[in-house]
Amino acid sequence: MIISVASGKGGTGKTTVATNMASALGRGVRLLDCDVEEPNAHLFLNPVLGQAEEVTTFIPEIDDELCTGCKKCAEICRFRALAVVAGKVLVFPELCHSCGGCMEVCEEGAVLDGNRILGTVESGSAGNVLFSHGRLRVGEAMSPPLIEKVRSINENNGITIIDAPPGTSCPVIAAIKGADFVLMVTEPTPFGLHDLKLGVEAVKTLGIPCGLVINRSDIGDDGVREYAAKEDIPVLLEIPFDRKIAEAYSVGKLIIEVRPEWADKFRDLYNRIEILARC
Amino acid sequence: MKVAVTAKGVQLSDEVDPRFGRAPYILIVDTETMKFDAIDNNDNVNAFKGAGIQAATMISEKGAEVLLTGYCGPNAFKTVDAAGIKVVSDVTGTVEEAVAAFLAGPVEYSTGANAEGHW
């Protein structure tokens, strides 16, 4: 069972929901923080992490001795990461999307298998929650390959919870595709609703069943609930704007640490997801 | 000597376009005869990425030794530099005026990019 916790809007409480659900379930569930640009689930869970593993991606390196300056590599590159001037190949690593086309078309074997560091992956555990996250190198534009690397860590008890990045573009898709269920976290405001619609559209495009958590549920307006009813998206949990919960968040604590009765609510949330994902 | 000048049109009387990679035309002017070849750069104007790299490759293939333009970004500069082309930035006026000013001197060649890269 793979559950991706997503949202259109940032700051709705994805990490809060993902970490509390993982912690409430415990017993070998794996939490993957795939918000690799700004991973922060570890701040709630305080896992003991092992050695950081560097993740790289292919970029061409040119062997000037073998290169004949034929330009085939530059011609096939649609991102213009290669240019041939004065008979020499110039490589612009930051433009490269690692397709490997240049290596494929070079008849001289002059395009070598170089690489660029995308970021790191760290794994460990927090109590009985298994934990992994990715950290994108600052300035790096390509996060999907790093997210896929984090997702490839799948040793667990059968339950994987993914903390996805906000938005609707490639990094989000990388964090939700192939999931059995997408749990959308939103807030009942015009901003939450606007971005929720975008997020739901992305999830529907991928054909994954989804449900909703409404955070800070007792403020704002009815727009989100009306939208959920109209689109037939089940509201699986509502988290009120509770001072104690807000205080816990402000010092990096889980809801279930300060309100133990919420552990049952998060386990129940998981049980309802399991039923919905099966039908 | 062949000089590449970024231009808004295809005539020597047209204005210099301050952009290098995304200028609509690049005129390759022979400074001895003032004969020129106008390269249509429109394919590059809407390029997703790497317009400067492509423009630099093109003027190198046309045999330009000097580039007269407004702004030259880091990737474009790296490419023209590798091609052995010298760059004069912050050029204004018509193409004709720009070439005349270059020939009259003194010429100050750029030592690096004078515009930010595009992300």
Side-chain angles (χ1 to χ4, degrees), chain A residues 71 80 83-84 91-92 94-95, chain B residues 44 47 53 61 75 78-79:
Chain A
K71 298 182 191 166
R80 294 175 176 167
V84 183
V91 181
F92 297 89
E94 72 280 11
L95 298 181
Chain B
N44 243 344
I53 297 167
E61 282 168 1
N75 285 347
K78 180 176 160 186
T79 313

Side-chain angles (χ1 to χ4, degrees), chain A residues 58-62 71-85 88-103 111 116 142, chain B residues 47-54 57 75 78-79:
Chain A
F58 163 80
I59 54 158
E61 231 173 70
I62 308 299
K71 298 182 191 166
K72 280 183 184 152
C73 57
E75 282 161 8
I76 201 166
C77 183
R78 65 162 299 195
F79 295 102
R80 294 175 176 167
L82 297 150
V84 183
V85 285
K88 272 193 140 189
V89 180
L90 290 181
V91 181
F92 297 89
E94 72 280 11
L95 298 181
C96 175
H97 282 54
S98 306
C99 73
C102 49
M103 205 176 206
V111 179
R116 166 178 97 211
M142 275 215 306
Chain B
F48 173 56
K49 283 261 181 188
I53 297 167
Q54 194 66 14
T57 308
N75 285 347
K78 180 176 160 186
T79 313

